[in-house]
Amino acid sequence: MATVVLVGTLDTKGAEYAWLRERLREYGSDVLLVDVGTLPPPAQAPTADVPAEAVARAAGHDLAELRTAGERGAAVAAMADGVTEVILDLHRKGRLHAVLAAGGSGGSAIAAQAMRALPIGVPKLLVSTMAGGDVAPYVGSSDITLMYSVVDISGINSVSRQVLGNAAAAASGMARRFERNHDELAGRGRKVVAATMFGVTTPAIDAARGRLTELGYEVLVFHATGAGGRAVEKLAADGLLDGVLDLTTTELADDLVGGVLSAGPERLTAAGRAGIPQVVAPGALDMVNFGPEPTVPARFADRNLLVHNPTVTLMRTTAQEMAALGASLGHKLAAARGPAELFWPLRGVSAVDIDGGPFEDAAADAAGLAALRTTVRGSGVRLHEMDVHINDAAFAVAMANRLDELITSRELKPAP
């Protein structure tokens, strides 16, 4: 029987969780109830399968001491850490097929942290009073499903009965499907490769994807808009990728200079930490992204700006910035625990960085390459310099072929 793990604050929402548990059982699911409340639950609260004291201990805390301290923020953080450990342990043991939670800001924050720690593909459903606003802090780069509670999670009434009932039915259905189709959901029928693209590198990715598909790979393409890069990092950290063709690393430029499409400082690190083969290129490092032209910060008024469309303005990176980006690429790949190689196109790194193009700047590109050469010297990172443009099919196919070779040679190595 598929198991739905219910994560809730039984000190304030015991009746609602008792109701949810009964609905899940009616829908054919086994249920594990985890209490993340920071206060003693009332006598009529349902008995938790994992009590709050055990959740706190999982994070190295004593719940009684947390209650005595009276610092709600610290207690909520401790319970979030604890339930994350509990949830991951249940997942490792095969005792979790979906997670369901319902709450306000505190309960949502606790449950969402645990949900984000689970691999992509494991069903996660959060009914929250906060789902009508900015949900980015709750979802992050995970695949959490958010459902707006409409009314507060405070009693079972004509509205909450419908919303929570739908949530229980959805979680139960997702859990059954996950249990029965785990291999399919994990995408392991074929080897899986992530590839990164931007509008200005689309021809390259199309060619690379075509070649990798010929070689038998499933290719997941991600738009390098910040969220896309974070999703690649999440999949790599979860162990769901066999390789990464990181052709478009433009998010590093936004992180360095202050554009709107940064994926954060951890971009281009997860595959390396996991030892996953990766082949990387400086795709669209010639640009930093902003919104409509009036939103470009005043300090950049004299820079080379290009209105890409009414909602996107691009700014050309300088030689100094390209040097910093080249060094960053080198340092991140040099730290990788698995095979990592870099391909550099000598005739431009994007569709607008081309002979006669608005972002043509040979000196800036050369500064990035020079810094990269210096950084990777002696590191074991192999640098391929090709006298073509990044959108030349030969460049993309060379990257795809090399990634295939790295993945294949890694598999052929005898186990230590």
Side-chain angles (χ1 to χ4, degrees):
M1 184 180 293
T3 299
V4 176
V5 176
L6 267 178
V7 176
T9 52
L10 302 189
D11 53 354
T12 59
K13 305 188 187 310
E16 295 80 2
Y17 271 87
W19 190 87
L20 275 169
R21 182 168 62 181
E22 290 308 307
R23 299 294 80 69
L24 287 165
R25 287 173 174 168
E26 286 178 7
Y27 298 142
S29 294
D30 195 6
V31 183
L32 283 175
L33 180 56
V34 181
D35 183 10
V36 293
T38 58
L39 299 173
Q44 66 271 27
T47 301
D49 299 288
V50 182
E53 289 79 6
V55 173
R57 282 198 303 272
H61 294 279
D62 181 270
L63 184 58
E65 292 179 358
L66 290 173
R67 289 168 175 167
T68 301
E71 297 181 4
R72 174 170 168 74
V76 167
M79 298 305 281
D81 291 341
V83 76
T84 299
E85 294 300 320
V86 169
I87 289 295
L88 289 176
D89 183 59
L90 290 171
H91 176 256
R92 283 190 295 266
K93 293 175 177 176
R95 299 181 62 199
L96 179 154
H97 302 103
V99 182
L100 172 62
S105 60
S108 296
I110 292 171
Q113 178 174 315
M115 291 179 179
R116 289 194 303 271
L118 286 167
I120 288 173
V122 178
K124 319 161 184 73
L125 176 55
L126 175 58
V127 184
S128 176
T129 61
M130 307 299 290
D134 179 9
V135 300
Y138 298 99
V139 176
S141 56
S142 72
D143 58 340
I144 296 174
T145 300
L146 274 168
M147 181 182 290
Y148 183 42
S149 64
V150 184
V151 294
D152 197 3
I153 312 297
S154 180
I156 301 300
N157 52 57
S158 59
V159 174
S160 64
R161 185 182 303 275
Q162 296 182 68
V163 173
L164 294 178
N166 287 340
S172 181
M174 288 191 289
R176 287 196 302 273
R177 186 178 189 280
F178 182 75
E179 180 191 34
R180 295 171 185 172
N181 303 286
H182 180 266
D183 289 342
E184 176 190 336
L185 289 175
R188 310 314 288 176
R190 291 181 288 165
K191 290 183 175 59
V192 180
V193 167
T196 53
M197 61 82 68
F198 225 33
V200 292
T201 60
T202 298
I205 282 299
D206 286 346
R209 180 179 58 188
R211 177 56 181 154
L212 287 167
T213 301
E214 288 178 0
L215 292 168
Y217 293 93
E218 178 182 5
V219 184
L220 311 178
V221 179
F222 296 85
H223 201 187
T225 56
R230 289 191 295 272
V232 172
E233 301 299 306
K234 171 67 173 169
L235 285 167
D238 288 346
L240 298 180
L241 300 177
D242 296 290
V244 179
L245 192 137
D246 218 337
L247 187 141
T248 308
T249 47
T250 185
E251 291 152 318
L252 298 177
D254 283 60
D255 188 57
L256 174 71
V257 183
V260 298
L261 299 185
S262 169
E266 293 300 302
R267 180 73 173 90
L268 202 64
T269 60
R273 282 195 298 266
I276 298 170
Q278 52 185 328
V279 176
V280 181
L285 283 187
D286 58 322
M287 60 188 63
V288 179
N289 294 267
F290 296 101
E293 190 171 14
T295 69
V296 177
R299 66 183 183 278
F300 298 132
D302 61 346
R303 295 281 294 270
N304 182 2
L305 301 176
L306 174 65
V307 177
H308 185 62
N309 60 49
T311 61
V312 176
T313 305
L314 309 177
M315 181 178 76
R316 207 334 172 162
T317 45
T318 64
Q320 182 180 11
E321 290 161 355
M322 284 294 290
L325 291 167
S328 176
L329 282 174
H331 285 304
K332 290 188 174 188
L333 293 188
R337 297 173 57 192
E341 300 190 6
L342 200 139
F343 281 67
W344 192 285
L346 298 175
R347 294 180 180 265
V349 301
S350 83
V352 293
D353 178 26
I354 196 167
D355 287 345
F359 278 4
E360 179 187 9
D361 191 336
D365 291 351
L369 178 57
L372 175 64
R373 288 173 180 154
T374 300
T375 306
V376 301
R377 187 175 296 129
S379 69
V381 175
R382 185 177 176 186
L383 174 60
H384 306 258
E385 299 178 26
M386 295 183 63
D387 191 22
V388 295
H389 187 265
I390 195 167
N391 283 329
D392 190 310
F395 183 81
V397 170
M399 288 187 69
N401 286 338
R402 186 56 185 154
L403 182 59
D404 174 56
E405 292 167 0
L406 294 177
I407 293 171
T408 302
S409 62
R410 182 184 185 220
E411 292 176 340
L412 293 177
K413 287 181 179 179

